[in-house]
Amino acid sequence: MKQTDSHIEVDFINEGSTVGELHPEKSWPREDSSRVPLWVYTDHENYRRELERVFYGPHWHMVGLESEIPNPGDFVRAVIGERSVIVTKTENEEISVLLNSCAHRGVEISQAAHGTQKEIMCPYHQWTYDLKGNLIGVPFKRGVKGKGGFPEDFDTKNHGLRRLKVENVNGCIFATFDHDAPNMREYLGKGNYEYFTRIFNGRKTKVLGHQRQRIKGNWKLYMENIKDPYHASLLHVFLISFGLYRIDQQGVTVTDERTLAHNVFASIRNPAGDTSGTEDMKSYRKDLKLNDMSLVTAAKEFEDEVSIQIQTVFPDLVLQQQGNSLQLRYVIPLGPDEFELQWTYFGYEDDSEEMTLRRLRQANLTGPSGYVSVDDTEVLEYSGAGIRPNPSKVAILELGGRGGEAPDDGNMVTEGPIRGFYEYYRRVMYGDS
Ligand SMILES: [Fe+2]
């Protein structure tokens, strides 16, 4: 980066880059990340670079729960960036994550979202792989009746499916294209690893359901939304109307010190129905009350008193505990202007039926049409609509300072974690690599 009189210019020239050069006019207004130029949400070259450096670079992506593939041959399909992968359990109970693109002609092999198979066969020319991705069968390898076939030195060992590096964190399957990526404990940092394994604590999980939605806006806006807890006290009328959220409720924010890119908010909700402290908020309605409090009344199930945990794992995962509702959200970019959000609701294998019902009932607050999350969908579409035609504008992120560190006083009225995200993002995107 080099300083000019009025702003900082980022040096985008990166010879040997596979994604081309970014236009030099595309600069960041300040050295700190208290300003975000809106072209980072709209620019196609920048988006191609994100795919290479963020999604296919040294970062981990959750691709499923082990409980989704309990038996050898079971598989689920997942998406990292724009690349489809097959997540499968092998005969010897290992997990392999394979690029869903045939080594022959690049064909996407599997279209099913999940299933069971003994081997992986491309539908086009039937190149066939074992569950570890080794090529085990090629039609007409020796030709027909002694004619044709592959050259003598064609070795199937050299033509398997691309394998990703895999780590299993207490039943959560993570994968990365970069085999030099640090292990998950180092990747997440101590505090974020501890909170992640607070929910994934070794108990076997049970998937309760999936939801999907598409949102017309840039994928980063979703991660920002999760890193900004104070919007809940302004935007989410369901929470405010019924006195279910207070910005001053006891909480903690933990940002990974190595990257500033992952962070977690954990807080203890005021008892359902206790509206003290909410009365002066604009959307609070004294005349409204929930008839069925079971929608929001959580049963204690963890050792601590935390009733809301919401965690972002860079670049594309959200883990949330909302009372007894447990959810994963996978963020899948579809170009700079749209993303898919995949929700997986889960509980534990040994849950009582009553607890499963409680989890399902409380899941009504989230998802594409959730009483709370529907507001985020709506406002992120407004963000997309306002940003797309105005890429030369700049966003302001000064609440709580200009640095990317998490406040250590539990204050949730801050944009610090969003600045932290961009501090790391800029290093990854425009640093030497
Ligand atoms: Fe929200």
Side-chain angles (χ1 to χ4, degrees), residues 79-93:
V79 183
I80 299 175
E82 292 187 349
R83 291 180 181 164
S84 170
V85 296
I86 302 166
V87 184
T88 189
K89 187 159 266 184
T90 66
E91 289 86 349
N92 53 1
E93 307 266 320

Side-chain angles (χ1 to χ4, degrees), residues 240-281:
I240 304 155
S241 302
F242 300 114
L244 299 170
Y245 182 85
R246 272 170 36 189
I247 196 64
D248 64 345
Q249 66 198 33
Q250 199 185 332
V252 62
T253 307
V254 182
T255 296
D256 167 42
E257 289 166 359
R258 183 177 67 90
T259 63
L260 301 178
H262 323 292
N263 71 280
V264 57
F265 298 105
S267 70
I268 301 168
R269 193 159 74 194
N270 45 319
D274 170 10
T275 58
S276 56
T278 323
E279 286 84 348
D280 51 351
M281 296 179 83

Side-chain angles (χ1 to χ4, degrees), residues 54 91 123 140 165 169 176 201 282 400:
V54 174
E91 289 86 349
F140 307 119
K165 185 177 180 178
V169 181
T176 173
N201 52 13
K282 192 165 160 261

Side-chain angles (χ1 to χ4, degrees), residues 188-201:
L188 283 178
K190 187 169 178 286
N192 274 268
Y193 191 85
E194 277 173 11
Y195 271 101
F196 193 82
T197 54
R198 172 182 173 272
I199 291 177
F200 293 107
N201 52 13

